[in-house]
Amino acid sequence: MIDLVKQQRTAFIQWLRSRTKANGERYSENTITSYTSALSNAPKKLTGIEVETRNVFEITSTTTFKKVRAIMEGADNFKEVNDQAGNRAFQYALQYYEELLVQQETGELSGEPSSSPQHLTAETEVRAMDKNILLYGPPGTGKTYNTVAYAVAMIENKTLAAIQLEIATDGYEQVLTRYRTYKEQGQIAFTTFHQSYGYEEFIEGIKPKLDQENQDQSTESISYEIKAGLFKAFCEKAEAPIVSESNEYGIRQDPTIWKLSLGGSGENAVKRDCFNHDRIRIGWDGYGEKITEATDFSPYGGANILTRFIDEMMIGDIVLVLYDEKTIDAIGVVTGEYKWLDSLPDHRRTRSVNWLITDIRENIYALNGNKVMTLGSVYRLNRITLSDVLHMIQKHNPSPSSAIQENSNRYVFIIDEINRGNISKIFGELITLIEPTKRIGQAEELKVRLPYSQVEFGVPDNVYILGTMNTADRSIARLDTALRRRFHFAEMMPDPGLLQDIQVADLDLVAMLTKINRRIEVLYDREHTIGHAYFLPLTSDPSLENLAHIFKNAILPLLQEYFYEDYHKIRLVLGDLNKAYNEQFIHAKQIDVTDLFGSASEMDLDDEVSYAINESAFKNPEAYRKIYSV
């Protein structure tokens, strides 16, 4: 029975998405949610009736449903329940569900709805799966909350409707748990834009670094390094191949890539010995086997090189062997710790290596940011990525391997409050790269050379960008034009119907929020309405005290911000002009200017009005009731 209910609920949602209204527009997601919620919850509130079931989605027979519908619509409190659903959502939902059953019985619809993307409308596919999506709406409409559903849908390659159905039937927590898991795995990143957010934080920049040559604090100095910003680092992770935890090559997760000189450049005896005996070797034998803090490096130098080779290089790291300043001739994986071999005539410092390919000639000049390799024996190749290494291995050894695989996972980068940042400053040249057709691997693939690192950078095709925008801060019309062209938009408006199951002092929260927002639309605009999320804390604590706390600390300050403390308009929104004095949230008091200033004829002052917050009204249920019942 549970499966049947889920199937019918899904069928109803998809059927509504496929319909158009009389004006040719499709139903919004909020409207669809409202109708679906009404069918699930409203029948339980009807009184004075007896029906086979109050779970409408259990009914698949048109004949049976017509009888049940007639009984429900004849309930004593049907009008009241219908009003609570908002905009007669229950009445319309019953009508639409009957139309769905008729089409299912006549064969116009399949009785087994599919959740696969190919069976959804184009609008639904765009909302769930487009590369760049921006959720926009007034404050408190659940934009940040809904990024969880969108992100999970994107990563799991599911429709948004399928995830929303999971939330409706099994609860939000199990989807949130998956979201947190993906975040821990690095597949989801979250940032918030603000006025001082810049290109350096988002893409890359030059950052100071504290150097400490030894334990003596007096030797500290400042140097600078080019550091990847949040989005660039995220894209690099999304593009990096997946390394199997136990693979035949011995590559570790997130390996460092080292440049290594074996006896110098070109062909030489040290290099040939290393290739033949699966090892790498460096010199500075004059310091002896053990290097300590007391070692004096003044005779020959090489302190940094020895530290890298002995201490910093790890098992599972990758080494690229120098042939000349632009070319490498071998790729290997470090498999052993540092050893000193007395049996060797020179270059006695060794580590075991698994050679993946040798005796090649691979030019890495471009991959290395058009920088030549120096003769320094050991240093990190920060510009070379694991993906670059994978392509070189596959080029010279095309036989398939499970050790390193292309990254087919999906990644979601969430930007909260995207409209609060300076888009041109933050995105820079990236504004073009985020276009779906310009992603890496697409027909119009585009990469640009970044100004600081001088490396070529593109946005991987498996990266999704999900933004949120508060329309009370800035309207879409004022949003950066270049950004608008590259995002699909999903509007999220207040949904009072989500409050219908909350009972506080016998108040109709649905009607109250609906009336407040209708007044705001008239006095201001729809972008500055109040979201339902402000009232959701009442779900766990449906007390008058909690409602008073919400009004005093959230709703009233928001209205003060909207109307620039024009308290006359705030009183209109809260219906205070039609209430008894003790029920008004804001008291208005006429000021006698003459009494206050005397006969100040030179001052052109009309009688003024002062306003004061009435604390007692927040504890009075009638103060809330008369917001919507006047």
Side-chain angles (χ1 to χ4, degrees):
M1 182 62 74
I2 294 176
D3 289 340
L4 174 63
V5 170
K6 287 184 177 181
Q7 288 176 1
Q8 286 298 105
R9 184 186 178 95
T10 303
F12 183 64
I13 291 171
Q14 293 185 0
W15 182 78
L16 283 174
R17 286 197 175 107
S18 68
R19 288 175 58 89
T20 55
K21 294 184 282 189
N23 61 5
E25 295 180 356
R26 295 192 182 276
Y27 291 99
S28 70
E29 289 298 315
N30 281 343
T31 300
I32 293 171
T33 301
S34 179
Y35 287 161
T36 308
S37 177
L39 285 185
S40 298
N41 301 314
K44 304 171 188 175
K45 301 177 182 179
L46 298 174
T47 59
I49 62 170
E50 290 186 8
V51 291
E52 295 180 20
T53 177
R54 293 193 181 227
N55 190 337
V56 170
F57 294 117
E58 290 181 0
I59 305 172
T60 58
S61 165
T62 305
T63 303
T64 301
F65 180 76
K66 285 182 177 180
K67 294 177 182 178
V68 171
R69 177 185 172 188
I71 296 173
M72 287 183 174
E73 291 178 342
D76 297 336
N77 63 338
F78 178 81
K79 184 179 183 305
E80 178 185 345
V81 172
N82 194 32
D83 290 341
Q84 289 178 353
N87 298 321
R88 295 182 289 179
F90 184 33
Q91 173 186 337
Y92 290 131
L94 289 171
Q95 173 188 333
Y96 293 151
Y97 189 68
E98 184 174 320
E99 292 180 23
L100 168 68
L101 292 179
V102 169
Q103 291 187 24
Q104 284 182 333
E105 289 187 351
T106 58
E108 294 181 48
L109 291 178
S110 168
E112 297 291 334
S114 170
S115 60
S116 58
Q118 61 267 29
H119 293 279
L120 298 175
T121 65
E123 181 189 49
T124 307
E125 287 188 53
V126 166
R127 288 177 64 93
M129 305 311 299
D130 194 74
K131 299 293 183 186
N132 309 318
I133 298 177
L134 198 151
L135 311 181
Y136 71 100
T141 52
K143 297 179 291 296
T144 305
Y145 173 90
N146 276 280
T147 59
V148 171
Y150 274 85
V152 172
M154 290 169 172
I155 288 176
E156 296 181 354
N157 195 17
K158 294 180 179 177
T159 65
L160 181 62
I163 300 300
Q164 289 175 331
L165 178 60
E166 283 189 56
I167 294 173
T169 55
D170 302 325
Y172 180 74
E173 191 61 34
Q174 53 94 18
V175 174
L176 180 61
T177 299
R178 302 210 302 274
Y179 171 91
R180 287 170 175 162
T181 300
Y182 294 131
K183 198 165 186 286
E184 290 173 3
Q185 295 172 352
Q187 288 181 253
I188 296 175
F190 186 99
T191 191
T192 301
F193 279 2
H194 49 80
Q195 288 85 346
S196 60
Y197 204 96
Y199 181 91
E200 290 74 15
E201 289 80 20
F202 197 60
I203 310 299
E204 67 172 15
I206 299 175
K207 302 294 178 68
K209 178 184 178 182
L210 185 65
D211 288 335
Q212 184 175 326
E213 296 178 2
N214 54 48
Q215 298 301 315
D216 182 1
Q217 296 296 314
S218 65
T219 62
E220 289 181 353
S221 62
I222 296 293
S223 63
Y224 294 88
E225 63 178 346
I226 298 171
K227 191 169 184 179
L230 285 176
F231 186 73
K232 179 172 180 282
F234 186 77
C235 288
E236 288 172 347
K237 183 176 181 62
E239 191 180 12
I242 301 296
V243 179
S244 302
E245 290 191 11
S246 61
N247 57 80
E248 69 268 30
Y249 295 156
I251 302 173
R252 70 181 178 92
Q253 298 291 312
D254 196 20
T256 299
I257 299 169
W258 300 91
K259 174 263 177 182
L260 195 69
S261 294
L262 298 179
S265 61
E267 178 66 28
N268 60 71
V270 172
K271 181 180 293 183
R272 187 51 48 191
D273 170 81
C274 289
F275 289 174
N276 292 336
H277 294 91
D278 296 327
R279 60 191 177 198
I280 52 178
R281 296 163 55 188
I282 64 171
W284 286 274
D285 298 348
Y287 295 129
E289 176 182 354
K290 296 188 181 298
I291 302 296
T292 67
E293 293 181 4
T295 301
D296 179 12
F297 292 102
S298 58
Y300 314 109
N304 290 333
I305 292 174
L306 291 173
T307 298
R308 294 168 192 154
F309 188 83
I310 296 172
D311 299 322
E312 297 178 12
M313 186 178 288
M314 298 176 63
I315 293 175
D317 282 351
I318 294 173
V319 292
L320 306 185
V321 179
L322 170 86
Y323 181 77
D324 59 34
E325 62 182 12
K326 295 183 179 180
T327 309
I328 63 168
D329 56 4
I331 300 175
V333 180
V334 179
T335 58
E337 299 289 357
Y338 160 70
K339 287 183 181 180
W340 171 275
L341 296 183
D342 279 320
S343 59
L344 296 173
D346 52 38
H347 293 79
R348 295 186 177 116
R349 305 182 196 279
T350 72
R351 300 186 73 141
S352 299
V353 165
N354 174 21
W355 293 113
L356 305 182
I357 45 177
T358 58
D359 295 311
I360 61 172
R361 299 291 183 269
E362 183 69 32
N363 190 311
I364 64 169
Y365 179 70
L367 292 177
N368 200 34
N370 294 329
K371 302 289 184 182
V372 297
M373 291 181 286
T374 69
L375 291 176
S377 295
V378 182
Y379 59 81
R380 292 175 177 83
L381 288 171
N382 293 321
R383 297 182 181 88
I384 307 293
T385 68
L386 183 58
S387 180
D388 296 329
V389 174
L390 171 62
H391 292 149
M392 285 188 281
I393 294 172
Q394 291 176 335
K395 175 181 176 182
H396 295 278
N397 182 15
S399 59
S401 169
S402 60
I404 308 177
Q405 299 175 342
E406 294 285 352
N407 193 344
S408 59
N409 293 331
R410 293 169 171 232
Y411 293 76
V412 180
F413 193 88
I414 301 173
I415 306 172
D416 203 25
E417 304 285 0
I418 194 171
N419 54 309
R420 293 186 64 225
N422 184 329
I423 300 301
S424 299
K425 172 186 173 186
I426 295 171
F427 277 80
E429 63 279 317
L430 190 71
I431 200 69
T432 300
L433 302 185
I434 65 173
E435 291 183 32
T437 58
K438 304 294 193 302
R439 301 293 186 90
I440 295 174
Q442 295 300 311
E444 300 175 33
E445 174 184 314
L446 182 64
K447 291 185 177 182
V448 298
R449 190 170 298 281
L450 298 179
Y452 293 113
S453 63
Q454 290 297 303
V455 300
E456 287 199 331
F457 174 72
V459 179
D461 195 45
N462 59 341
V463 169
Y464 293 74
I465 303 175
L466 183 59
T468 70
M469 171 181 168
N470 190 335
T471 54
D473 292 336
R474 181 187 296 183
S475 71
I476 288 182
R478 294 173 57 203
L479 191 63
D480 186 276
T481 305
L483 190 71
R484 279 209 315 269
R485 290 199 306 267
R486 291 169 172 88
F487 274 77
H488 280 88
F489 289 78
E491 184 181 60
M492 308 196 74
M493 294 300 291
D495 186 2
L498 296 177
L499 308 178
Q500 62 184 359
D501 293 331
I502 303 175
Q503 294 297 321
V504 179
D506 199 31
L507 296 172
D508 188 342
L509 298 181
V510 174
M512 182 182 70
L513 182 57
T514 300
K515 184 60 70 72
I516 287 175
N517 282 337
R518 287 178 60 191
R519 288 169 177 163
I520 291 175
E521 284 190 47
V522 172
L523 296 172
Y524 203 155
D525 57 38
R526 68 193 297 271
E527 281 71 34
H528 288 77
T529 49
I530 295 175
H532 52 271
Y534 285 104
F535 297 92
L536 291 180
L538 293 167
T539 304
S540 57
D541 180 15
S543 64
L544 187 62
E545 290 76 15
N546 197 17
L547 180 61
H549 177 80
I550 292 169
F551 256 80
K552 286 172 61 176
N553 297 285
I555 305 304
L556 188 57
L558 193 62
L559 293 175
Q560 289 171 326
E561 178 187 338
Y562 283 176
F563 295 106
Y564 303 98
E565 300 197 9
D566 183 340
Y567 283 97
H568 177 67
K569 288 184 178 178
I570 297 174
R571 296 185 77 218
L572 287 172
V573 170
L574 298 176
D576 281 355
L577 273 63
N578 299 296
K579 297 177 185 174
Y581 186 77
N582 67 315
E583 297 168 348
Q584 298 173 8
F585 290 103
I586 300 173
H587 285 158
K589 181 181 178 181
Q590 199 76 26
I591 298 175
D592 188 336
V593 176
T594 303
D595 179 65
L596 188 61
F597 295 100
S599 56
S601 57
E602 71 279 4
M603 299 176 65
D604 184 18
L605 294 174
D606 294 326
D607 286 350
E608 298 289 333
V609 178
S610 66
Y611 297 94
I613 306 299
N614 178 21
E615 294 287 341
S616 63
F618 294 103
K619 304 173 185 177
N620 187 347
E622 289 304 311
Y624 301 99
R625 196 183 323 278
K626 290 187 179 178
I627 290 177
Y628 59 88
S629 63
V630 293

